[in-house]
Amino acid sequence: MNHMNREAWLNELGKQITPLFTAGKAFPIKPFRVTCGWPCRHALGVKRRVLGQCFAAENSSAPNGGIHELFISPLLDKPLEVAGVLTHEIAHVAAGIKAGHGSWFVKVCKHVGLTKGKPTSVLPGEKLNEQLTKLLDKLGPYPHQAMIPSTVQTTKSPTSITLQCQSCECLIRITFSWIEKSGIPVCG
């Protein structure tokens, strides 16, 4: 599986993770696609940082409602960490978006092996990590380098942030108010 871009890699990983949910027809998975992109809130939070997000198929602009849209933060580049976050987001697809991080979502997580931590940030347990590692060995390295955000140091609270893509070294500086209005740009 060489020469894939990151979205192809993420979607292939998603396809390989899906059987962990559907074994024994336990939790059917509706269609989804995965991309590397910024969550709509707390993408660069200091106290709380969101690393993945799932948007319901009903919110898709595709015909007939479409498919679930899963986002994995560009801050991540370790394949096992990416796989864990993706598994968490697929759990939202399996449980249904309306389940949030409630008891049904927790049941889905336990079934697949997401057992470490609280429901909002549940991580793979040892057994799931072993399964994910086997999938990743077949898939190969994640074709992405993490973006490393840095805040601009001032005497008052920072009003802007500098982002640098580790792949092409593109450097941008944007204000937090611009991020609030339009979101963070993704390096193509």
Side-chain angles (χ1 to χ4, degrees):
M1 299 268 172
N2 293 335
H3 307 294
M4 283 194 276
N5 66 30
R6 66 183 175 200
E7 277 66 32
W9 189 93
L10 287 166
N11 282 287
E12 181 60 33
L13 179 60
K15 286 179 192 172
Q16 292 183 27
I17 290 172
T18 297
L20 302 176
F21 289 90
T22 58
K25 299 191 180 188
F27 297 100
I29 302 294
K30 294 183 179 176
F32 65 86
R33 68 178 154 225
V34 191
T35 191
C36 178
W38 298 102
C40 67
R41 292 187 319 212
H42 305 292
L44 298 172
V46 176
K47 292 183 180 179
R48 177 178 173 224
R49 185 168 285 181
V50 175
L51 300 176
Q53 195 162 24
C54 175
F55 289 94
E58 299 80 45
N59 297 335
S60 174
S61 62
N64 303 332
I67 62 177
H68 289 76
E69 300 285 348
L70 309 182
F71 290 84
I72 304 298
S73 172
L75 299 174
L76 303 179
D77 65 356
K78 294 181 178 78
L80 191 57
E81 186 177 14
V82 170
V85 171
L86 181 54
T87 304
H88 176 110
E89 299 311 321
I90 296 172
H92 282 294
V93 175
I97 299 297
K98 292 181 181 176
H101 292 105
S103 61
W104 184 248
F105 175 77
V106 171
K107 183 177 181 175
V108 171
C109 288
K110 286 182 179 177
H111 168 79
V112 77
L114 290 165
T115 57
K116 288 188 177 180
K118 56 187 181 177
T120 55
S121 57
V122 67
L123 300 171
E126 192 173 312
K127 184 178 177 185
L128 178 56
N129 268 337
E130 289 172 10
Q131 292 174 300
L132 293 174
T133 299
K134 288 177 184 176
L135 295 177
L136 292 167
D137 288 344
K138 294 176 189 172
L139 191 57
Y142 181 36
H144 170 74
Q145 288 184 332
M147 292 184 78
I148 302 171
S150 62
T151 56
V152 176
Q153 298 297 319
T154 62
T155 55
K156 58 181 183 174
S157 296
T159 59
S160 65
I161 189 168
T162 302
L163 296 175
Q164 181 175 12
C165 175
Q166 296 300 301
S167 179
C168 69
E169 297 184 9
C170 175
L171 189 66
I172 62 168
R173 183 173 168 174
I174 57 177
T175 64
F176 288 112
S177 61
W178 189 88
I179 292 171
E180 289 291 321
K181 291 177 188 172
S182 303
I184 296 176
V186 176
C187 186

